[in-house]
Amino acid sequence: MAAAAGLGTFSGSLADAFAASQKALGPQLNGKINHSVCKWCYSKIPLETFAQDCKKIGLTSIELLGPEEWPVIKKYGLTCALPWGEGLTRSIDKGFNDPKNHEELIKGFEDVIPKVRAAGYDKIICFSGNRRGMSDYDGIRNCAEGIRKLLPTCEKHNVTLVMELLNSKVNHKDYMCDRTEWGAALCEAIGSEKFKLLYDIYHMQIQEGDVIATIKKYHKYIAHYHTGGVPGRHEIDETQELYYPSIMKAIVDTGYKGFVGQEFVPSRGDDLASLKQGVTICDIA
């Protein structure tokens, strides 16, 4: 290219090839946010079709997919920022806070973690389980006991367990890991960089509010973020109470380099247009 410029020309074939390569990369976004999306919100669209649609929008990840789905998105150069496993490892209400679940959970995660690494991914989602009358202290103790048994496998394969913060007011009644402070206390109890939190902005706005201040305070424990409009978990635009550009700026200001996953349920009839809008809103300059 430098030589061609020196001659004052740029061959048509080379220019066409360069333009084609840029087009293949997808839309050129600002790059401060790595954009992902949760497939379950678009369940009516076949995964292969959805992967192609996401590529056109500029997304680089489709998440909450299991091992059998990873090869599909790989065909289109997409990653899975936050995979999940199978069986009890995907259960929200039966998690690490109940020692009765530990044997099955440990077996399930020990099976899938090497697959996560082999696919080129470095995180996997997990859940606390429901409280069922359990105290905060006992929940942290039980979760830490079970998760510590998985740390050698996580360290061997360089995969981080990421526990999701979910609201227990509206969507997941009785879920235990429903406050950022509780999740951070669990991180401290475990004491490993291979265990972090998924801060779901939608869920935590409902549960505790004060989103930006909370992100600033606890960001060192957070490995992933999800979006969603409040109220209703729909589009993240001016129709809801959160202003996502400011939230994205706060996330970037913490030094976060990971992914932000769109996890709202489109409500307007053109699901892909809503997804593109969400990406654009979060793609801060």
Side-chain angles (χ1 to χ4, degrees), residues 2-283:
L7 293 172
T9 63
F10 192 39
S11 73
S13 61
L14 185 57
D16 291 343
F18 179 76
S21 69
Q22 291 298 101
K23 185 177 181 181
L25 291 173
Q28 297 302 296
L29 300 174
N30 289 313
K32 289 187 176 181
I33 297 291
N34 294 310
H35 298 282
S36 183
V37 62
C38 297
K39 176 61 176 70
W40 73 264
C41 301
Y42 303 84
S43 58
K44 295 179 181 179
I45 306 176
L47 180 57
E48 186 135 5
T49 302
F50 189 59
Q52 296 173 70
D53 293 332
C54 289
K55 189 80 171 180
K56 292 174 185 175
I57 291 171
L59 290 146
T60 53
S61 163
I62 302 175
E63 61 187 76
L64 301 186
L65 299 177
E68 72 285 355
E69 297 165 307
W70 302 338
V72 177
I73 62 172
K74 279 179 174 289
K75 287 170 55 178
Y76 300 97
L78 299 171
T79 190
C80 185
L82 192 61
W84 60 13
E86 298 168 317
L88 194 61
T89 66
R90 288 170 56 169
S91 173
I92 291 174
D93 63 330
K94 296 179 180 178
F96 282 102
N97 67 346
D98 188 343
K100 294 177 182 177
N101 300 325
H102 285 182
E103 182 177 357
E104 186 174 347
L105 282 168
I106 290 166
K107 183 179 183 298
F109 278 109
E110 286 184 339
D111 177 67
V112 76
I113 285 171
K115 297 176 183 177
V116 169
R117 182 73 269 174
Y121 310 141
D122 63 359
K123 296 178 183 66
I124 187 166
I125 194 170
C126 68
F127 302 96
S128 67
N130 284 4
R131 184 179 292 274
R132 296 183 175 89
M134 187 179 297
S135 70
D136 283 342
Y137 175 84
D138 287 340
I140 289 172
R141 182 188 62 187
N142 292 341
C143 284
E145 179 184 342
I147 289 166
R148 284 195 197 105
K149 294 176 182 178
L150 278 170
L151 291 180
T153 301
C154 292
E155 290 163 359
K156 177 181 177 180
H157 297 284
N158 195 24
V159 171
T160 301
L161 282 171
V162 183
M163 183 174 285
E164 184 163 15
L165 292 155
L166 300 169
N167 82 75
S168 61
K169 288 184 178 180
V170 176
N171 300 102
H172 299 283
K173 298 289 186 180
D174 202 43
Y175 185 71
M176 188 158 223
C177 186
D178 63 351
R179 288 158 294 132
T180 311
E181 183 179 19
W182 189 93
L186 177 57
C187 289
E188 286 289 334
I190 291 170
S192 171
E193 288 297 304
K194 295 306 175 189
F195 178 80
K196 298 278 188 177
L197 302 175
L198 159 52
Y199 185 89
D200 189 302
I201 298 163
Y202 161 79
H203 284 294
M204 291 301 97
Q205 171 66 3
I206 289 173
Q207 190 72 27
E208 60 190 15
D210 210 13
V211 169
I212 289 176
T214 302
I215 288 170
K216 289 180 178 179
K217 182 175 181 179
Y218 293 109
H219 68 87
K220 70 177 181 178
Y221 303 110
I222 299 170
H224 197 70
Y225 291 89
H226 278 169
T227 74
V230 181
R233 198 178 198 149
H234 297 305
E235 284 80 358
I236 62 170
D237 57 16
E238 71 283 353
T239 62
Q240 51 98 50
E241 65 191 35
L242 291 166
Y243 186 65
Y244 269 93
S246 291
I247 296 172
M248 292 300 113
K249 184 180 185 302
I251 290 171
V252 169
D253 286 348
T254 67
Y256 180 73
K257 303 296 184 184
F259 282 83
V260 173
Q262 300 290 339
E263 198 184 19
F264 63 85
V265 180
S267 64
R268 296 177 184 151
D270 189 338
D271 293 357
L272 294 175
S274 289
L275 175 57
K276 184 175 181 179
Q277 181 194 44
V279 170
T280 301
I281 288 169
C282 291
D283 194 51

